[in-house]
Amino acid sequence: MSLTVVKGLQSEIYVPITPPPVWAEVTKPLKEMKVALATAAGVHLKSDKRFNLAGDFTFRIIPGDCDSHDLMVSHGGYDNGDVNKDINCMFPIDRLRELKAEGFIKEVAETHIGFMGGGGNQDKFKNETGPQIAKILKEEGVDAVVLTAG
Amino acid sequence: MGANAGRPNDPEMQRNILKDALIQLVEIQTPGTIVPLPYEYIAKV
């Protein structure tokens, strides 16, 4: 089978252009890593400000020692049915603590991040939100981040 | 969609998915690599 390739085709709708990945070499074993969670699934503390479901490029800090029952989701872009039953199916903070307890990782980060994907201002996400999140995690000495998304 | 880290209230599945994801952090040698995991969850809708 041969594929026909037409050069110069353009989408009629605007789509985000994904930049090439920045390859970060792993330099230590998992059992020596401090690990954070970052999620585009709209997770935040119940006491914190909800996301604007029409599009929101802000993020929320989620303390590493929070009670998972104090977390909730505001995100209009996916079925929240499962995550409303158990936040860990999108934000596995209790599981991360268990991995620390069994010595699989060294530490659960002090700070985790929730934001709302599925739209919003892509330039803001790329140039402001993303770098701000990375700075926070880097300053806390985080070695690895697990990202989930709705 | 909606349950990246496993079935709700299934700590074992969630823990294994998280572990497998972290193991791949060390094992993957090429950006953009996708590794299928052997977990299945059929939600009741």
Side-chain angles (χ1 to χ4, degrees):
Chain A
M1 186 183 80
S2 66
L3 294 172
T4 304
V5 178
V6 179
K7 289 181 181 169
L9 271 184
Q10 287 190 321
S11 170
E12 292 175 344
I13 55 168
Y14 289 104
V15 291
I17 297 167
T18 308
V22 179
W23 182 245
E25 206 72 50
V26 171
T27 56
K28 56 173 81 167
L30 286 167
K31 63 177 191 299
E32 291 175 19
M33 286 189 191
K34 182 195 272 195
V35 181
L37 302 176
T39 182
V43 178
H44 56 84
L45 283 168
K46 287 176 183 171
S47 58
D48 214 338
K49 191 182 173 194
R50 294 184 182 207
F51 292 107
N52 178 353
L53 301 191
D56 197 328
F57 58 82
T58 62
F59 65 92
R60 306 286 180 271
I61 297 284
I62 303 168
D65 60 357
C66 71
D67 184 331
S68 57
H69 294 100
D70 291 336
L71 296 171
M72 64 172 279
V73 161
S74 53
H75 194 310
Y78 69 97
D79 184 344
N80 302 162
D82 284 339
V83 78
N84 286 342
K85 288 179 204 148
D86 175 13
I87 201 82
N88 285 285
C89 70
M90 285 303 261
F91 189 77
I93 185 70
D94 292 325
R95 305 293 85 81
L96 197 62
R97 291 178 184 132
E98 290 162 8
L99 295 193
K100 192 230 173 218
E102 68 177 72
F104 188 81
I105 61 167
K106 183 183 174 194
E107 225 174 319
V108 175
E110 296 91 337
T111 299
H112 306 263
I113 307 287
F115 56 100
M116 194 190 81
N121 187 327
Q122 296 298 316
D123 286 334
K124 288 269 189 188
F125 267 120
K126 184 180 164 192
N127 299 319
E128 294 177 28
T129 313
Q132 281 173 23
I133 293 170
K135 186 167 181 281
I136 291 169
L137 298 175
K138 203 170 176 185
E139 283 176 357
E140 291 190 355
V142 168
D143 298 298
V145 180
V146 178
L147 178 68
T148 59
Chain B
M1 292 287 279
N4 290 184
R7 186 168 26 218
N9 302 312
D10 187 341
E12 190 184 354
M13 183 194 272
Q14 293 170 0
R15 194 162 45 245
N16 287 336
I17 289 174
L18 186 59
K19 262 188 176 176
D20 285 349
L22 286 165
I23 288 169
Q24 291 304 327
L25 169 72
V26 177
E27 293 198 347
I28 286 174
Q29 296 299 319
T30 309
T33 305
I34 295 172
V35 180
L37 297 179
Y39 305 98
E40 196 166 347
Y41 160 40
I42 299 170
K44 289 177 194 155
V45 288

